[in-house]
Amino acid sequence: MQLDQLLQYVLSGLSTGAIYALIGIGFSIIYNATGIINFAQGEFVMLGGLLTLSCLNLLQLPPWAAVPCAVAAATVIGLLFERLAIRPLRKPTPISLVIITIGGSILIRGLAMLVWGKDTHSIPPFSGDEPIAVGGATILPQHLWILAITLVIVVINRFYFYHTISGKAMRACSYNRTAAGLVGIDVQRMVLFSFMISSAMGAIAGIIVAPLTMTAYDVGVMLGLKGFCAAIIGGMSSGLATVVGGLILGILESLGAGLISSGYKDAIAFIILLLILFIRPQGLFGKAESERV
Amino acid sequence: MNRELLKFLVFSLLVLLAPLLFQGGYLMNVLVFVGINTMLAIALNLLLGYAGQISLGHAGFFGLGAYLSGILTATYGWNPWIAMPLAAVTVGLLAFLIGFPILKLKGHYLAMATLGLGIIIFIVFNETIELTGGPSGLSGIPNLSLGDFKFDSDIRNYYLVWSFTLGTVLLSLNLAASRVGRALRAVHDSEVAARVMGVNARLLKVQIFALSAVISALAGSLYAHTMTFLAPSSFGFNFSVELLTMVVIGGLGSIYGSFLGAALLTLLPEFLRAAHDYDIVIYGGLLMAMIMFMPGGLVRGIPDLLRRFAKRGRAGHA
Amino acid sequence: MGIRIVPLFVAAFTLLVSTAVFAAPPLKIGGLFAVTGPAAFLGEPERNTARMVIDEINKAGGVKGRKLELVVYDTAGDATKAVQLATKLIKDDKVAAIIGPSTTGETMAVIPVVEREQIPLISLSAGSKITDPVKKWVFKTAQNDALAVGRIFEYLQKQKQTKVAILSVSDGFGSSGREQLKAQAAKYGMTIASDDTYGPKDTDMTAQLTKIRGSQAQALIVWGTNPGPAVIAKNARQLGLKLPLYMSHGVSSKKFIELAGDAAEGIRLPSGKVIVADVLPASDSQKKSLLAFVKDYQNHYKAEGDHFGGHAWDAVMLLKGSLEHGAATPDAIREQLEKTRQFHGIGGTFTYSAQDHAGLGKDAFVLVEIRNRDWVLVK
């Protein structure tokens, strides 16, 4: 195999992986604040892309305004989801939470199908589509946007969780909800925040990837699952570990498709998921935790 | 126990007589699928309702049963009556082996792991074209037959499938009432406490997982021999979710609830046909509404609701 | 008294009989379309077209004075549902013939049902194995993918290119095309340098394309339906892939050009004649049907009529033809269908026989190239 071929696999893997990472961080944020795996996370990725499409075509907004507008709209949907579906739950057991977020994801997907139809839509790239040569391989300007935006978001996350009061409060919730409540943190509000932040992040991921992959009402399912794999590899961290998890997954997928078998590419991702869950459920980089009864 | 037996007999009688109502019509065909789905819902309910372990990959076991039966009979010309138990045992063994690592996981992690397992199985169906025919499907699967009597019409398949379904119901009712059932409920409530009381929780969970897979595989074989055609798309993630919905709607831990859920979800599309573009919305909404307002499912929820109405009525009169 | 009643009776009786003749119940035709689900892009135009054509037939007074009634069900692209609904059409609605289903998988699942119940089925899906071997009750209108493959290989042969790479989607359409590509390669002296697949929901195919770039292939043939091929076109452009790109008839709609944008330029594909109806020579025997269909669809649905709708158009018209020959029972319809000769439809010119229930020849496809976001005929 030639070197530039390998380089191309890695570059392609990195940009797909960055998307998985963004979605994975969205999973982790909610999980850490609430202990919930939000199965509807992938739908916010879909919403990001389709809402941008509507802002561009229907409201005739310029791209720089359409993107924040779409993110804001997705955030509001995330807020509504938490208020209407998660909070009213009287006895939230893990199983009922799994089922309700699955129900939510199906509902959101169905509504999106009614609003935007079943067609696939494309969104123009942010800054042209002239390929850029890197060694013997090529990438698109959009790939650079993806990598850059992922980086910015990780940095902002880090700042938020470690240097702001509400970020620290949210971390406190993730360590121990009861204790956090006792020291005066409004736990419910933190839960709401976590849903809003993660839906915003899902939407951003959906927007930056749409010019490359196009978007439709049902793109959220697979992307959501891959994002979850990334989060698992990263041990449900809301920071760098999940980013590395996403990148590893992306590169392995790309190498798998190129070198082993393109048909089993997705199976590779899920086999990794199972192996990690079986062998190191705390993620590749996490420390083992003992079960509290 | 006698009351349980009476209930079962009434239920069996209803099943036996139902065809008189729908003689020969299309609903007969739907009722065959209600039977298959009831088996699947009960299988999942044993795991979810009794042992408290979620699975989002049951469509995979269902599919494995169907494909093993289908391939052995259509491609290799085996007798379906031999292929069926073989498929069930193979799937059971597989589930038993994978059960040990997978059931170590809990809650969300278990959900995701079983989901991943289901997707891997689905990809295998899709990619092993030489065996399964891949996405374009496997055809030419024979009907089951007894001597010269072939199960090749809806009414014959109805009785065939439902005799298996009733067997499953009976088995599950017995299981629930037995020592194993009590141990399972203990595991459900608190695994640690159950372990302290001397229940081998781990083995028990794995056994139930395997039993659940065996029933699903049997349902799969029946599906293969009544449909006579298989395609991977019937065994995807969506169907796993549909099964979950059946169990939740019927009521966790209730065997007749599983029947109710399966019947409702299989028949619902028949009545929603006018609104077919909306059925995905209705599914999602239903799933959420059940958990929020009727977490015990229909079997417990409806009597509750009636009682509440009765109480309010009485309060109004007083 | 008694005498006066008799003529009244006679009058009443004649009235009854004559109204019975005039108001013969409409002949029921079943429609199974994947209106929702992954194959909705097939099912929706198919349903629309079938409704449109049958409405028009009824407006014109029906066939031989008898109206038609279309009973449509949505299979959502699911084989199980298709089987159930086919049973429903036959047992409850008592249809005389069925049009559909939309996908090969569904059709294969439905075949045992219609063969057992003896109801003619005109499938709208492309898989060659639907009518090969011939099944007594099963016909189809969609062009066999075998014909599309032949068209591409023929052209490649003329271009003296013999090494091809295949990239197909892992669903029914893709795997059936892949099978045909591999089966026919030897006949045209082609060797397959690389054989890869991608998933229907995949969003990045650079890995497969990178592998293909490293192979000996002189041309790349992509077999899939939207949106995958559009992603592949974009990826190929990103990688600067120099190979000429060929695609299947699965993307011969304006939607593909819209999705792929500039990346679609120069791609060649075999296609039914609908998309190039207005540039066909006047001598083309299908031209009249094509223009009528396109205009009609535009008037009804404010959208361009495509091949998929065309398959339904052909199916309804073929049925109409057999009814015009006096067929009214499933048995007679089947027999008359088999006698169809030289019917100039949308998908091609159909001639069915006892040995051929697909009815089309290679002339059903033209090779087109995408230039300036439009279709151009390749000679």
Short mmCIF file of all heavy atoms in Angstrom, two decimals, chain C residues 33 45-46 48-54 56-57 99 124 141 286 288-294 296-297 306-320 343-348 350:
data_model
loop_
_atom_site.label_atom_id
_atom_site.label_comp_id
_atom_site.label_asym_id
_atom_site.label_seq_id
_atom_site.Cartn_x
_atom_site.Cartn_y
_atom_site.Cartn_z
N PHE C 33 -47.44 0.12 -2.94
CA PHE C 33 -46.32 1.03 -3.17
C PHE C 33 -45.63 1.35 -1.85
O PHE C 33 -46.28 1.48 -0.83
CB PHE C 33 -46.81 2.33 -3.81
CG PHE C 33 -47.64 2.12 -5.03
CD1 PHE C 33 -48.97 2.53 -5.05
CD2 PHE C 33 -47.12 1.50 -6.15
CE1 PHE C 33 -49.76 2.32 -6.17
CE2 PHE C 33 -47.91 1.29 -7.28
CZ PHE C 33 -49.23 1.70 -7.28
N PRO C 45 -43.92 8.62 -6.36
CA PRO C 45 -44.32 8.89 -7.75
C PRO C 45 -45.12 7.75 -8.37
O PRO C 45 -46.00 7.99 -9.20
CB PRO C 45 -42.98 9.08 -8.48
CG PRO C 45 -41.94 8.56 -7.58
CD PRO C 45 -42.47 8.66 -6.19
N GLU C 46 -44.87 6.53 -7.93
CA GLU C 46 -45.61 5.40 -8.48
C GLU C 46 -47.10 5.50 -8.11
O GLU C 46 -47.97 5.36 -8.95
CB GLU C 46 -45.03 4.08 -7.96
CG GLU C 46 -43.71 3.71 -8.61
CD GLU C 46 -42.98 2.60 -7.89
OE1 GLU C 46 -43.50 2.09 -6.88
OE2 GLU C 46 -41.88 2.24 -8.33
N ASN C 48 -48.70 8.21 -7.14
CA ASN C 48 -49.27 9.38 -7.78
C ASN C 48 -49.65 9.08 -9.22
O ASN C 48 -50.74 9.43 -9.67
CB ASN C 48 -48.25 10.53 -7.78
CG ASN C 48 -48.06 11.09 -6.38
OD1 ASN C 48 -48.82 10.74 -5.47
ND2 ASN C 48 -47.07 11.92 -6.21
N THR C 49 -48.74 8.45 -9.93
CA THR C 49 -48.99 8.19 -11.34
C THR C 49 -50.16 7.22 -11.52
O THR C 49 -51.04 7.45 -12.34
CB THR C 49 -47.74 7.59 -12.01
OG1 THR C 49 -46.65 8.45 -11.72
CG2 THR C 49 -47.92 7.48 -13.49
N ALA C 50 -50.16 6.15 -10.72
CA ALA C 50 -51.23 5.17 -10.85
C ALA C 50 -52.58 5.83 -10.62
O ALA C 50 -53.53 5.63 -11.39
CB ALA C 50 -51.02 4.02 -9.86
N ARG C 51 -52.65 6.68 -9.59
CA ARG C 51 -53.91 7.38 -9.32
C ARG C 51 -54.31 8.27 -10.50
O ARG C 51 -55.45 8.26 -10.93
CB ARG C 51 -53.74 8.26 -8.07
CG ARG C 51 -53.92 7.47 -6.81
CD ARG C 51 -54.30 8.40 -5.68
NE ARG C 51 -54.44 7.62 -4.47
CZ ARG C 51 -53.94 7.98 -3.28
NH1 ARG C 51 -53.29 9.11 -3.17
NH2 ARG C 51 -54.13 7.21 -2.24
N MET C 52 -53.31 9.01 -10.99
CA MET C 52 -53.57 9.95 -12.07
C MET C 52 -54.11 9.22 -13.30
O MET C 52 -55.14 9.62 -13.86
CB MET C 52 -52.25 10.66 -12.40
CG MET C 52 -52.27 11.57 -13.59
SD MET C 52 -50.61 12.28 -13.83
CE MET C 52 -49.87 11.04 -14.88
N VAL C 53 -53.43 8.14 -13.68
CA VAL C 53 -53.84 7.45 -14.92
C VAL C 53 -55.22 6.84 -14.76
O VAL C 53 -56.06 6.92 -15.66
CB VAL C 53 -52.80 6.36 -15.29
CG1 VAL C 53 -53.21 5.68 -16.58
CG2 VAL C 53 -51.43 6.98 -15.43
N ILE C 54 -55.47 6.25 -13.60
CA ILE C 54 -56.77 5.59 -13.42
C ILE C 54 -57.90 6.62 -13.37
O ILE C 54 -58.98 6.41 -13.94
CB ILE C 54 -56.73 4.69 -12.17
CG1 ILE C 54 -55.85 3.50 -12.53
CG2 ILE C 54 -58.12 4.27 -11.73
CD1 ILE C 54 -55.99 2.28 -11.71
N GLU C 56 -57.93 9.33 -15.01
CA GLU C 56 -58.16 9.75 -16.39
C GLU C 56 -58.96 8.70 -17.17
O GLU C 56 -59.85 9.05 -17.94
CB GLU C 56 -56.82 10.00 -17.08
CG GLU C 56 -56.38 11.43 -16.86
CD GLU C 56 -54.91 11.59 -17.11
OE1 GLU C 56 -54.31 10.73 -17.77
OE2 GLU C 56 -54.36 12.60 -16.64
N ILE C 57 -58.62 7.44 -16.94
CA ILE C 57 -59.36 6.38 -17.62
C ILE C 57 -60.83 6.45 -17.24
O ILE C 57 -61.72 6.36 -18.07
CB ILE C 57 -58.77 4.99 -17.26
CG1 ILE C 57 -57.37 4.86 -17.86
CG2 ILE C 57 -59.68 3.88 -17.76
CD1 ILE C 57 -56.66 3.59 -17.48
N ILE C 99 -50.74 -4.09 -8.94
CA ILE C 99 -49.61 -3.34 -9.46
C ILE C 99 -48.63 -3.11 -8.30
O ILE C 99 -49.04 -2.69 -7.23
CB ILE C 99 -50.06 -1.99 -10.03
CG1 ILE C 99 -50.97 -2.22 -11.23
CG2 ILE C 99 -48.88 -1.13 -10.40
CD1 ILE C 99 -51.57 -0.94 -11.75
N LEU C 124 -43.16 -3.37 -10.11
CA LEU C 124 -42.53 -2.13 -10.59
C LEU C 124 -41.05 -2.11 -10.23
O LEU C 124 -40.41 -1.08 -10.28
CB LEU C 124 -43.22 -0.92 -9.97
CG LEU C 124 -44.74 -0.88 -10.13
CD1 LEU C 124 -45.30 0.37 -9.49
CD2 LEU C 124 -45.13 -0.93 -11.60
N THR C 141 -42.59 -4.15 -15.15
CA THR C 141 -42.42 -3.06 -16.11
C THR C 141 -41.08 -2.36 -15.98
O THR C 141 -40.61 -1.75 -16.94
CB THR C 141 -43.53 -2.00 -15.95
OG1 THR C 141 -43.50 -1.52 -14.61
CG2 THR C 141 -44.88 -2.56 -16.27
N GLN C 286 -41.42 5.72 -28.77
CA GLN C 286 -41.94 5.98 -27.43
C GLN C 286 -42.25 7.46 -27.21
O GLN C 286 -42.86 7.83 -26.21
CB GLN C 286 -40.89 5.59 -26.38
CG GLN C 286 -40.81 4.12 -26.09
CD GLN C 286 -39.65 3.86 -25.17
OE1 GLN C 286 -38.60 3.40 -25.58
NE2 GLN C 286 -39.83 4.18 -23.90
N LYS C 288 -44.22 9.77 -28.15
CA LYS C 288 -45.56 10.27 -27.90
C LYS C 288 -45.99 9.96 -26.45
O LYS C 288 -46.43 10.84 -25.71
CB LYS C 288 -46.54 9.63 -28.88
CG LYS C 288 -47.72 10.52 -29.23
CD LYS C 288 -48.61 9.85 -30.27
CE LYS C 288 -49.83 9.26 -29.59
NZ LYS C 288 -50.50 8.20 -30.34
N SER C 289 -45.82 8.71 -26.05
CA SER C 289 -46.17 8.32 -24.68
C SER C 289 -45.38 9.14 -23.68
O SER C 289 -45.92 9.63 -22.68
CB SER C 289 -45.85 6.84 -24.45
OG SER C 289 -46.63 6.03 -25.27
N LEU C 290 -44.10 9.30 -23.94
CA LEU C 290 -43.23 9.98 -22.99
C LEU C 290 -43.68 11.42 -22.77
O LEU C 290 -43.84 11.87 -21.63
CB LEU C 290 -41.79 9.97 -23.52
CG LEU C 290 -41.09 8.62 -23.48
CD1 LEU C 290 -39.79 8.67 -24.27
CD2 LEU C 290 -40.81 8.22 -22.04
N LEU C 291 -43.90 12.13 -23.87
CA LEU C 291 -44.29 13.53 -23.74
C LEU C 291 -45.63 13.66 -23.03
O LEU C 291 -45.82 14.53 -22.18
CB LEU C 291 -44.33 14.20 -25.12
CG LEU C 291 -42.96 14.40 -25.76
CD1 LEU C 291 -43.09 15.00 -27.15
CD2 LEU C 291 -42.07 15.28 -24.88
N ALA C 292 -46.56 12.76 -23.35
CA ALA C 292 -47.87 12.81 -22.71
C ALA C 292 -47.75 12.61 -21.21
O ALA C 292 -48.34 13.35 -20.42
CB ALA C 292 -48.78 11.74 -23.32
N PHE C 293 -46.94 11.63 -20.84
CA PHE C 293 -46.78 11.34 -19.41
C PHE C 293 -46.15 12.50 -18.67
O PHE C 293 -46.62 12.94 -17.62
CB PHE C 293 -45.94 10.07 -19.25
CG PHE C 293 -45.41 9.86 -17.87
CD1 PHE C 293 -46.27 9.62 -16.80
CD2 PHE C 293 -44.04 9.91 -17.61
CE1 PHE C 293 -45.79 9.43 -15.53
CE2 PHE C 293 -43.55 9.72 -16.33
CZ PHE C 293 -44.43 9.49 -15.29
N VAL C 294 -45.07 13.04 -19.24
CA VAL C 294 -44.36 14.12 -18.57
C VAL C 294 -45.27 15.32 -18.36
O VAL C 294 -45.33 15.92 -17.29
CB VAL C 294 -43.11 14.53 -19.40
CG1 VAL C 294 -42.50 15.80 -18.86
CG2 VAL C 294 -42.10 13.40 -19.38
N ASP C 296 -48.59 15.42 -18.35
CA ASP C 296 -49.66 15.06 -17.44
C ASP C 296 -49.22 15.17 -15.99
O ASP C 296 -49.90 15.74 -15.14
CB ASP C 296 -50.03 13.59 -17.71
CG ASP C 296 -51.51 13.44 -17.92
OD1 ASP C 296 -52.14 14.48 -18.17
OD2 ASP C 296 -52.00 12.30 -17.84
N TYR C 297 -48.06 14.59 -15.72
CA TYR C 297 -47.57 14.55 -14.33
C TYR C 297 -47.31 15.97 -13.86
O TYR C 297 -47.63 16.34 -12.74
CB TYR C 297 -46.29 13.71 -14.25
CG TYR C 297 -46.00 13.24 -12.85
CD1 TYR C 297 -46.49 12.02 -12.40
CD2 TYR C 297 -45.24 14.00 -11.97
CE1 TYR C 297 -46.24 11.57 -11.11
CE2 TYR C 297 -44.98 13.57 -10.69
CZ TYR C 297 -45.48 12.34 -10.26
OH TYR C 297 -45.24 11.92 -8.98
N ASP C 306 -40.98 11.05 -13.44
CA ASP C 306 -39.71 10.34 -13.56
C ASP C 306 -39.95 8.89 -13.96
O ASP C 306 -41.08 8.48 -14.20
CB ASP C 306 -38.92 10.43 -12.25
CG ASP C 306 -39.72 9.92 -11.07
OD1 ASP C 306 -40.77 9.29 -11.29
OD2 ASP C 306 -39.30 10.15 -9.93
N HIS C 307 -38.85 8.13 -14.01
CA HIS C 307 -38.98 6.73 -14.41
C HIS C 307 -39.90 5.95 -13.51
O HIS C 307 -40.63 5.09 -13.95
CB HIS C 307 -37.62 6.04 -14.32
CG HIS C 307 -36.58 6.74 -15.07
ND1 HIS C 307 -36.52 6.71 -16.42
CD2 HIS C 307 -35.58 7.54 -14.66
CE1 HIS C 307 -35.50 7.43 -16.81
NE2 HIS C 307 -34.93 7.96 -15.78
N PHE C 308 -39.78 6.26 -12.22
CA PHE C 308 -40.50 5.44 -11.26
C PHE C 308 -42.00 5.57 -11.49
O PHE C 308 -42.72 4.59 -11.52
CB PHE C 308 -40.08 5.81 -9.84
CG PHE C 308 -38.59 5.92 -9.70
CD1 PHE C 308 -38.01 7.04 -9.13
CD2 PHE C 308 -37.77 4.91 -10.18
CE1 PHE C 308 -36.63 7.15 -9.04
CE2 PHE C 308 -36.39 5.02 -10.09
CZ PHE C 308 -35.82 6.14 -9.51
N GLY C 309 -42.44 6.81 -11.66
CA GLY C 309 -43.83 7.02 -12.04
C GLY C 309 -44.12 6.31 -13.36
O GLY C 309 -45.17 5.71 -13.53
N GLY C 310 -43.15 6.35 -14.25
CA GLY C 310 -43.30 5.72 -15.55
C GLY C 310 -43.59 4.24 -15.45
O GLY C 310 -44.40 3.69 -16.20
N HIS C 311 -42.95 3.57 -14.49
CA HIS C 311 -43.20 2.13 -14.32
C HIS C 311 -44.67 1.89 -14.00
O HIS C 311 -45.28 0.93 -14.48
CB HIS C 311 -42.34 1.56 -13.19
CG HIS C 311 -40.88 1.71 -13.41
ND1 HIS C 311 -40.32 1.70 -14.66
CD2 HIS C 311 -39.85 1.88 -12.54
CE1 HIS C 311 -39.02 1.85 -14.56
NE2 HIS C 311 -38.70 1.97 -13.29
N ALA C 312 -45.24 2.76 -13.16
CA ALA C 312 -46.64 2.61 -12.79
C ALA C 312 -47.53 2.93 -13.99
O ALA C 312 -48.55 2.28 -14.22
CB ALA C 312 -46.99 3.51 -11.61
N TRP C 313 -47.14 3.94 -14.76
CA TRP C 313 -47.88 4.32 -15.96
C TRP C 313 -47.98 3.11 -16.90
O TRP C 313 -49.05 2.74 -17.36
CB TRP C 313 -47.15 5.48 -16.65
CG TRP C 313 -47.95 6.21 -17.69
CD1 TRP C 313 -48.72 7.31 -17.48
CD2 TRP C 313 -48.03 5.92 -19.09
NE1 TRP C 313 -49.28 7.73 -18.67
CE2 TRP C 313 -48.89 6.90 -19.67
CE3 TRP C 313 -47.49 4.93 -19.91
CZ2 TRP C 313 -49.19 6.92 -21.03
CZ3 TRP C 313 -47.79 4.95 -21.28
CH2 TRP C 313 -48.64 5.94 -21.83
N ASP C 314 -46.81 2.50 -17.13
CA ASP C 314 -46.77 1.33 -18.01
C ASP C 314 -47.68 0.22 -17.48
O ASP C 314 -48.43 -0.39 -18.23
CB ASP C 314 -45.34 0.81 -18.13
CG ASP C 314 -44.47 1.75 -18.94
OD1 ASP C 314 -45.04 2.59 -19.66
OD2 ASP C 314 -43.24 1.65 -18.84
N ALA C 315 -47.60 -0.02 -16.17
CA ALA C 315 -48.37 -1.12 -15.58
C ALA C 315 -49.86 -0.89 -15.78
O ALA C 315 -50.59 -1.80 -16.20
CB ALA C 315 -48.03 -1.27 -14.10
N VAL C 316 -50.32 0.33 -15.50
CA VAL C 316 -51.74 0.61 -15.64
C VAL C 316 -52.16 0.49 -17.11
O VAL C 316 -53.19 -0.11 -17.43
CB VAL C 316 -52.09 2.01 -15.10
CG1 VAL C 316 -53.56 2.31 -15.33
CG2 VAL C 316 -51.75 2.13 -13.63
N MET C 317 -51.32 1.03 -18.00
CA MET C 317 -51.67 0.99 -19.42
C MET C 317 -51.69 -0.45 -19.96
O MET C 317 -52.53 -0.80 -20.79
CB MET C 317 -50.68 1.83 -20.23
CG MET C 317 -50.84 3.32 -20.00
SD MET C 317 -52.57 3.84 -20.02
CE MET C 317 -52.49 5.26 -21.04
N LEU C 318 -50.75 -1.26 -19.48
CA LEU C 318 -50.73 -2.65 -19.92
C LEU C 318 -52.01 -3.36 -19.48
O LEU C 318 -52.62 -4.11 -20.24
CB LEU C 318 -49.50 -3.37 -19.34
CG LEU C 318 -48.18 -3.04 -20.04
CD1 LEU C 318 -47.00 -3.47 -19.19
CD2 LEU C 318 -48.11 -3.74 -21.40
N LEU C 319 -52.41 -3.07 -18.23
CA LEU C 319 -53.65 -3.65 -17.72
C LEU C 319 -54.82 -3.19 -18.56
O LEU C 319 -55.68 -3.98 -18.97
CB LEU C 319 -53.87 -3.20 -16.28
CG LEU C 319 -53.36 -4.11 -15.18
CD1 LEU C 319 -53.72 -3.52 -13.84
CD2 LEU C 319 -53.98 -5.49 -15.34
N LYS C 320 -54.82 -1.88 -18.84
CA LYS C 320 -55.91 -1.31 -19.64
C LYS C 320 -55.97 -2.04 -20.98
O LYS C 320 -57.05 -2.41 -21.45
CB LYS C 320 -55.64 0.18 -19.85
CG LYS C 320 -56.77 0.90 -20.55
CD LYS C 320 -56.39 2.37 -20.80
CE LYS C 320 -57.35 3.01 -21.80
NZ LYS C 320 -56.67 4.00 -22.64
N PHE C 343 -46.06 -2.65 -27.23
CA PHE C 343 -46.70 -1.55 -26.53
C PHE C 343 -45.63 -0.50 -26.23
O PHE C 343 -44.65 -0.76 -25.54
CB PHE C 343 -47.37 -2.05 -25.25
CG PHE C 343 -47.70 -0.94 -24.29
CD1 PHE C 343 -48.72 -0.05 -24.59
CD2 PHE C 343 -46.98 -0.77 -23.12
CE1 PHE C 343 -49.03 0.98 -23.73
CE2 PHE C 343 -47.28 0.27 -22.25
CZ PHE C 343 -48.30 1.14 -22.56
N HIS C 344 -45.82 0.70 -26.78
CA HIS C 344 -44.80 1.74 -26.61
C HIS C 344 -45.07 2.51 -25.32
O HIS C 344 -45.88 3.42 -25.28
CB HIS C 344 -44.80 2.69 -27.80
CG HIS C 344 -44.60 1.97 -29.10
ND1 HIS C 344 -43.42 1.31 -29.38
CD2 HIS C 344 -45.41 1.78 -30.16
CE1 HIS C 344 -43.53 0.75 -30.58
NE2 HIS C 344 -44.73 1.02 -31.07
N GLY C 345 -44.41 2.15 -24.27
CA GLY C 345 -44.66 2.76 -22.96
C GLY C 345 -43.58 3.74 -22.58
O GLY C 345 -42.87 4.28 -23.43
N ILE C 346 -43.45 3.96 -21.28
CA ILE C 346 -42.46 4.90 -20.76
C ILE C 346 -41.12 4.19 -20.61
O ILE C 346 -40.06 4.72 -20.96
CB ILE C 346 -42.90 5.46 -19.39
CG1 ILE C 346 -44.30 6.04 -19.46
CG2 ILE C 346 -41.90 6.49 -18.90
CD1 ILE C 346 -44.44 7.17 -20.44
N GLY C 347 -41.14 3.01 -20.06
CA GLY C 347 -39.90 2.29 -19.80
C GLY C 347 -39.29 1.70 -21.06
O GLY C 347 -38.11 1.33 -21.07
N GLY C 348 -40.07 1.57 -22.12
CA GLY C 348 -39.56 0.99 -23.34
C GLY C 348 -40.71 0.43 -24.16
O GLY C 348 -41.88 0.75 -23.89
N PHE C 350 -42.80 -2.74 -24.94
CA PHE C 350 -43.03 -4.04 -24.29
C PHE C 350 -43.58 -5.08 -25.26
O PHE C 350 -44.51 -4.80 -26.01
CB PHE C 350 -44.04 -3.90 -23.15
CG PHE C 350 -43.52 -3.12 -21.99
CD1 PHE C 350 -43.58 -1.73 -21.97
CD2 PHE C 350 -42.95 -3.76 -20.90
CE1 PHE C 350 -43.10 -1.01 -20.90
CE2 PHE C 350 -42.46 -3.04 -19.82
CZ PHE C 350 -42.54 -1.66 -19.82
#
